[in-house]
Amino acid sequence: MAVPLFLSVLLIAACGLIYELVASALASYLLGDSVTQFSTVIGTYLFAMGVGSWLSRFLSRGLVARFVSIELMVGLVGGFSSTILFLAFAYTGAFRLVLYVLVVILGVFVGLEIPLLMRILKDRYAFKDVVSNVLTFDYLGALAASLAFPILLVPRLGLVRSALLFGLVNAGVALWSVWLFRAHLGARRVLAGASVAVLLLLSAGMAGATKITNLAEDNIYSDEVIFSRTTRYQRIVLTAWKDDLRLWLNAHLQFSSRDEYRYHEALVHPGLSARPSARRVLVLGGGDGLAVRELLKHPGVETITLVDLDPEMTRIFSTHPTLVALNHGSLSSPKVHVVNDDAFVWLDKHPDMFDFVVVDFPDPNNYGVGKLYTTVFYRLLARHLSRDGLVVVQATSPLFARKSFWCIAETMHQAGLTTYPYHLYVPSFGEWGFVLASLDGGYTPPTTLPAQLRYLTVAEVPRMFEFSADMQPVAVEANRLNTQVLVRYYEQEWDRVNR
Amino acid sequence: MSPDENKDSSSSPPSRRTFLLASGAAVVAAGAAIVSRFTNAPALLGLDRKSGPRISGGWVNESAALGHRLRDGASMPTPRRIVRVPAVAVGGGIAGLSAAWQLERHGFRDYVLLEMERDAGGNARGGENAVSRYPWAAHYVPVPGPRATLVRELFRELGVLTDTGWDERTLCFAPQERLFVHGEWQSGLDAELLGSHTGRDELHRFDDLIAEQRRSGEFTIPMALGARAGSALDRMSFAHWLDAAGLRSPAMRWYAEYGTRDDYGASTRDTSAWAGVHYHAAREPTEQGPLTWPEGNTWIARRLAARVGTRLITGTPVHRILSNGRKGWRVRAGDAEYLCDDVIFAAPTFLTPYIVEGMRAPGFVYSPWLVANLTLDRWPEERGVPPAWDNVLRSGVGLGYVVATHQALRAREDGPTVWTYYCALTTRDPATERRVLQTSTWSDWVERIMMELAVAHPNIRRCVTHVDIVRLGHAMVRPTVAFLGADARRDPQWAPRGIHLAHSDLSGLSLFEEAQYRGVVAADAVLASQHRR
């Protein structure tokens, strides 16, 4: 009986360490700042183990049955720990709370295991042998787990399956213990039944693990998450892989630091460089400050009003060092005035006029955002445009979403604007399009551009207005508040691409 | 192992046995309390409180007491002053306001418009709170067809119709309608019909039959232009008509039932086939959707009332209209007696025997309704297509809810909102329903509404903060079988000389267009009468 008993010490020690590692790794993966996450998770876990050890004194009778129950609890909670954490991250704003509550519960149960086991064994073997053997196997198990975790488990199984696998080990130890102590256990049928139930539950979890990770957006962010926050309006996630920084809003890619210069230079300069006299500029959306960075390259611009719905977004892009480095601190420029309001509502209640307007909203993938691409919106926008003013609108991809792109152009046209659609290639997005528009018809590509642009040249600008055969205009309806055809076009087209 | 320790755990004292469980539970509970205070997480974690937070609110706009005093012939104040004015309009709903609008358009200002409530508007009244304006009953006007010339004229005047077309901020935003059926929201009220072969087939046949009726020219808005008292459809119920057409599937019958409940507050059994068909045939199938405002038709009522100016006198119930022989009429309202030649009676016609000397009851039937405005601090959970303007539950006793913030420009859709919940009381006869409505309590109704909506929105109770409810005993006239042939409608001499009936109940259709038409026709009669003098 001795070897199997001490072997189970090794196994439960390994399980205990794995859950700790899973929780720490998941926290650093999802929240970033791995030093903090590992330190706090391990600290909390060890403290909770201490609480568990202390609590063990209150257990005096039916020790084997209790040990089996605790194993089953550890297996269940630990096995599903990464599942719970992923889902908590994806669907709630309380990830940290769930994390530490889980770590405390697990720690308490794991802390109970060894003291109980030692008491169970103390009457069978000499105390010095019990202490020596239990601790030896405990540390051996820890070594095995800490080596297997980075080398085998994470790369081969992933975090969700690894935790489930070790949950199965815990439940296996429980079932095994029922068998080992069968002669002394009263309720062995109940305990064996419970063990089998937990084993089945965890196996079901294993079978559905892929679905769980998909649910939890695990696949979306293939890179390390360095920042994430759920605000009142959206989920902001920043990921990094080597020198590539990516911003995701509600799991939609907003930019990649490797090629965002292409997007933002193309968004701003073809229009603004053609209007050297422009003084007052309005940016709608674009809380990342990257369009503003480009606008500030025009010394003639005196004021920039940036209207972005989400105060958290503009705050992060004004303060986070990596992001401030990316937008050159544009949001802190004295020329920039940040307003956190709904763009439509703000335009409706303010009379201010502008010489150049940048409209950089998320793609029209729901009826709410769809309102910002309607005839009514563009007519309202036109009323804020000075006579010689220009407006530029990000208009999704003319290649992947051809109808959507031309629908936006048609909508602006129906709102009384003269439109000049153009496009460029952004590696992380693919072909991307913008619609430039003026009030009275009058746009010629600029003959000069700000110095030190990385993508645009004077020769390149006119070429952007040429569309190849597969991106030519198609017959579409204008997008109106009472029809919202654009949302339907957009859904159909991107569904086809993403299938 | 000591024998002591080998005993089954069930023999240990409960305090120790439960210690671990209790401490674990304490941690979870404390966590839950913190989580539910600061985040939306409890739903996922299953930590919802069983009962939601307290909902405030109560009955509002109660006016039944005054009506019952009139009915029971209670003593009313004796007049202390006499006012001479050529014309008096009684009732400041859309009919009365439209009559005034017509008089004003013709430069005739020698009249007063008397309204018993604090605000004019009648069924087109509304309210407002920190979240939104909202309607108390009528909340839209369909885009008028070519024959509804008066509606078009009014909307031109109000800037809703311009040379470039209808104001796009007033046309109902997409998506307009959705139906909660088979456990999720689906787009369009015909979602259930379109979901099955039988349903699609019956809907096709129904549409064909309606198209045929439409071509007959009998179904117009205003109805007076096309309706004939001898119509065969006036002599049978809509349910009978559907039976005869072989339209019997539950989905089809629900669809038809929803139409009559929505427009007439009556079941298909209590509605004439003429009216049932009118609902579908009087309007061209159009893509444009209705004209609507967050506050509903109050938007129009306010603007009409502004045109009437000081000639509108609110908070002044008319309690008696007495004949003054050849000299016209004496209208008693509050402490004043108005001596006039002509009276535009734009209050519901069933009031005439209680108010107008020598007049009989018209014999109309009226449907009782209940309207609730629900304030929500966030959008509740749901499954299926995104929120629409009009949201109907297939399983609901009520007619569903209309979202007051739907016409807001803001892009964000999950923020605070106001829903207007409508329920036509059609199960029992109207008198019984009215009695039950008068004795029911506000909290009973809140409970019923929450239960009904929870089918589609499981956490609705935690999102609703305030519920105001109005009960409308005589909300709208019912176009019952043989309504078109009723004396009060057919006989021009039914009302005595100088009394010009103007309420939309004369049309049998409680529609904005009918109220406006009747009001304008009555005003024209007054203008002609005044011209002769």
Side-chain angles (χ1 to χ4, degrees), chain A residues 55 58 61-64 66 97 120 123-124 184 187 232-233 342 348 368 371 375-376 379 480-482, chain B residues 1 4-8 12-13 16 19 35 44 168-169 172-174 176 288 408 410-413:
Chain A
L55 284 174
F58 297 104
R61 279 177 283 186
L63 285 188
V64 175
R66 283 170 198 284
L97 184 83
I120 291 169
D123 298 327
R124 295 159 193 269
H184 312 281
R232 274 176 68 194
Y233 306 104
D342 184 285
D348 203 36
K371 290 180 189 172
T375 43
V376 172
R379 265 200 287 274
R480 296 176 192 281
L481 280 170
N482 66 326
Chain B
M1 203 176 286
D4 187 15
E5 292 196 334
N6 283 340
K7 274 195 202 146
D8 180 48
S12 37
R16 297 216 172 148
F19 184 87
V35 169
L44 177 83
E168 287 181 48
R169 289 186 188 209
C172 180
F173 296 178
Q176 274 118 20
Q288 282 203 305
R410 67 184 191 196
R412 189 181 169 221
E413 290 175 310

Side-chain angles (χ1 to χ4, degrees), chain A residues 55 58-66 70 87-88 91-94 97-98 101 105 108 112 119-120 122-124 181 184 186-187 232-233 309 342 344-345 348 366-369 371-372 375-376 379-380 480-484, chain B residues 1-2 4-9 11-13 16-17 19-20 23-24 27-28 31-32 34-35 39-42 44-45 167-169 171-176 287-289 386-387 405-414 416:
Chain A
L55 284 174
F58 297 104
L59 303 178
S60 55
R61 279 177 283 186
L63 285 188
V64 175
R66 283 170 198 284
I70 286 167
L87 293 177
Y91 293 106
T92 76
L97 184 83
V98 176
V101 168
I105 293 174
V108 168
L112 281 163
R119 280 164 60 191
I120 291 169
K122 77 172 193 294
D123 298 327
R124 295 159 193 269
F181 294 101
H184 312 281
R232 274 176 68 194
Y233 306 104
L309 184 60
D342 184 285
F344 212 146
V345 174
D348 203 36
N366 64 58
Y367 292 113
V369 183
K371 290 180 189 172
L372 300 170
T375 43
V376 172
R379 265 200 287 274
L380 179 62
R480 296 176 192 281
L481 280 170
N482 66 326
T483 59
Q484 293 251 22
Chain B
M1 203 176 286
S2 72
D4 187 15
E5 292 196 334
N6 283 340
K7 274 195 202 146
D8 180 48
S9 56
S11 62
S12 37
R16 297 216 172 148
R17 182 175 38 174
F19 184 87
L20 266 179
S23 50
V27 171
V28 173
I34 299 167
V35 169
T39 71
N40 293 332
L44 177 83
L45 300 174
D167 174 28
E168 287 181 48
R169 289 186 188 209
L171 284 170
C172 180
F173 296 178
Q176 274 118 20
E287 277 288 309
Q288 282 203 305
T405 52
H406 187 76
Q407 295 293 102
L409 297 178
R410 67 184 191 196
R412 189 181 169 221
E413 290 175 310
D414 57 347

